[in-house]
Amino acid sequence: MVEIEIDENACVGCGSCVDDCPNDVYEMDEAKNKTKVVNADDCMACLSCHEICPAEAMEHKNIHVAKRLYIDRKVNDVLNKII
Amino acid sequence: MAYEIKREGKEVFGDFKPELIPDECGGDIDDYEEALHVLMKFVGSMSSALEQVSGRGANAIVYQAGKRMGHEAGKMVEKTDDLEKAMQELSEILGAEFYFDMWKPAGQEGYTIEKGDETVVKLIFRDCVVRQTLRRTGLPQKGPLCYLLYGYTVGAVEEVMDIRGKLDIDHVGPNACLKTLTIKWSGK
């Protein structure tokens, strides 16, 4: 069962996740001008919302995390030394 | 003295006869990783160039290539009329690199929907080498390379079930992609 948490302090209320989600998992809370999760059962964990959210305000728990073979470990090693 | 190219790694020397089948591939995991990344860059670059030269025709070319691969792979497994068994076999054909599940919205009873002589099932691709390649090369999803998996899946299903099928891309994401597989029973 997917759990989605929205960091209300971070959410800027742009509604990008509401527009982007193919399964209408999110809705705008007009009173707070923040996103709220209304349909977590239909979330397929595509994480398009993560990619589009400018504030990185959401977290998905208990999902299949796809392999990330594209991450270049050599580049990451260099970055880790700098950051 | 002739100039020699300097390299970091050690060159491997051994004996080899043409009639001998090597019992292992050799190399360590880092070699494979490097090879995979080079291949990803090559394939991504080819896909991009193909689109540049052929425009929308690129999708059809890649689809056809995938479909041919799917038909070949489908010949390796048992034929069946049972959609669930076919999906199981499809998961074996596609392997761990194309990890997929059948998907339905929470309110829907079963995975399949019957529409006249068609059966529709939604497939969610969680792990996909194509997606990895596109992200490695910074290319958008839903482009020609996605049609490779599209063709591959359709080809394999057609071969296993001996029917006509099509796959539509509903949604693409960084962690999963949703596709609709439509099976046309009258095409048998």
Side-chain angles (χ1 to χ4, degrees), chain A residues 4-82:
Chain A
I4 309 166
E5 279 181 13
I6 308 280
D7 182 347
E8 287 198 1
N9 295 322
C11 177
V12 292
C14 65
S16 300
C17 53
V18 180
D19 293 339
D20 198 43
C21 180
N23 296 329
D24 301 326
V25 170
Y26 306 103
E27 252 178 31
M28 279 304 283
D29 185 334
E30 299 297 343
K32 291 182 183 171
N33 195 31
K34 305 276 179 191
T35 295
K36 64 176 177 182
V37 179
V38 289
N39 197 11
D41 288 350
D42 277 353
C43 176
M44 57 180 187
C46 67
L47 302 191
S48 292
C49 49
H50 280 234
E51 199 148 74
I52 207 161
C53 179
E56 297 182 0
M58 41 194 65
E59 187 179 346
H60 281 62
K61 290 180 176 172
N62 197 25
I63 60 163
H64 175 109
V65 179
K67 287 175 191 168
R68 277 157 171 76
L69 302 173
Y70 56 84
I71 291 171
D72 194 321
R73 287 195 296 184
K74 278 184 188 166
V75 174
N76 269 16
D77 286 345
V78 173
L79 286 174
N80 283 334
K81 281 174 192 164
I82 300 165

Side-chain angles (χ1 to χ4, degrees), chain B residues 59-74:
Chain B
N59 293 352
I61 296 167
V62 179
Y63 170 74
Q64 202 54 40
K67 197 170 168 183
R68 197 185 297 169
M69 279 166 64
H71 272 285
E72 288 304 314

Side-chain angles (χ1 to χ4, degrees), chain B residues 6-20:
Chain B
K6 293 177 186 69
R7 290 187 176 90
E8 276 180 16
K10 255 189 172 181
E11 197 179 350
V12 178
F13 283 94
D15 301 330
F16 187 78
K17 286 181 187 173
E19 69 270 24
L20 293 178

